[in-house]
Structure formats: structure tokens, C-alpha cells
Amino acid sequence: MEHIPFERFAELLFDSPQLAPAGAEIMQAVLKAGSARWTEIATAMSGSESAAYKRPQRLMESIRRAPFFGAPNAQNKVKT
């Protein structure tokens, strides 16, 4: 997994460049854990397990709140 530029890949996935480092770390942990379960991902991450368990939750919350390119907003309402 060392040859995969995870952070660069994460920059392409996320609209916000601030999310890329956390996204890269979590992607590596998912591959290392071989599971999508947060407890197993947290075990594969650095730091304490409780802190590592919170990182994917925070990333998902940040993604949920982030504006998406082309998403409807107050200035760009979708006409039905």
C-alpha cells in the first residue's frame, strides 16, 4: 500500500482539500482492516482506539455538511 498516493487520491474524491489527509488515513485503515466496520477500521488506525473511532465519524459529518459542486442552494434552486 506504500506505493499508492492515498492523499492525492483523496484530494480527487473530496471537494474540500482539508478533508484529504483524514480521508487518506481512513482509506488506508479500511484496506488494512479488510472491513468496513468502524471498530475494525479504528483498530487499524494510529493513536488510541477511541480517538481513531471518532475520526471516521468526524469525516463523515464534514462530508455531509460540505457543499457539493452543483448542489442546489439558496442562489441555485432546482426548478421542477
Side-chain angles (χ1 to χ4, degrees):
M1 285 191 299
E2 296 299 320
H3 63 283
I4 299 172
F6 282 99
E7 194 159 333
R8 177 68 184 120
F9 184 67
E11 288 173 2
L12 297 171
L13 288 177
F14 302 116
D15 290 338
S16 173
Q18 292 82 13
L19 298 177
E25 180 187 14
I26 293 166
M27 286 189 286
Q28 287 177 307
V30 169
L31 291 174
K32 184 177 177 184
S35 173
R37 289 183 169 186
W38 285 13
T39 52
E40 293 178 26
I41 293 168
T43 303
M45 294 174 76
S46 63
S48 72
E49 191 172 331
S50 62
Y53 188 83
K54 292 175 188 173
R55 272 181 260 161
Q57 291 175 338
R58 289 187 195 116
L59 178 68
M60 296 303 291
E61 182 63 26
S62 296
I63 291 169
R64 188 184 66 78
R65 286 182 301 189
F68 292 100
F69 178 75
N73 57 34
Q75 292 83 26
N76 185 20
K77 296 247 182 210
V78 174
K79 295 180 182 177
T80 55

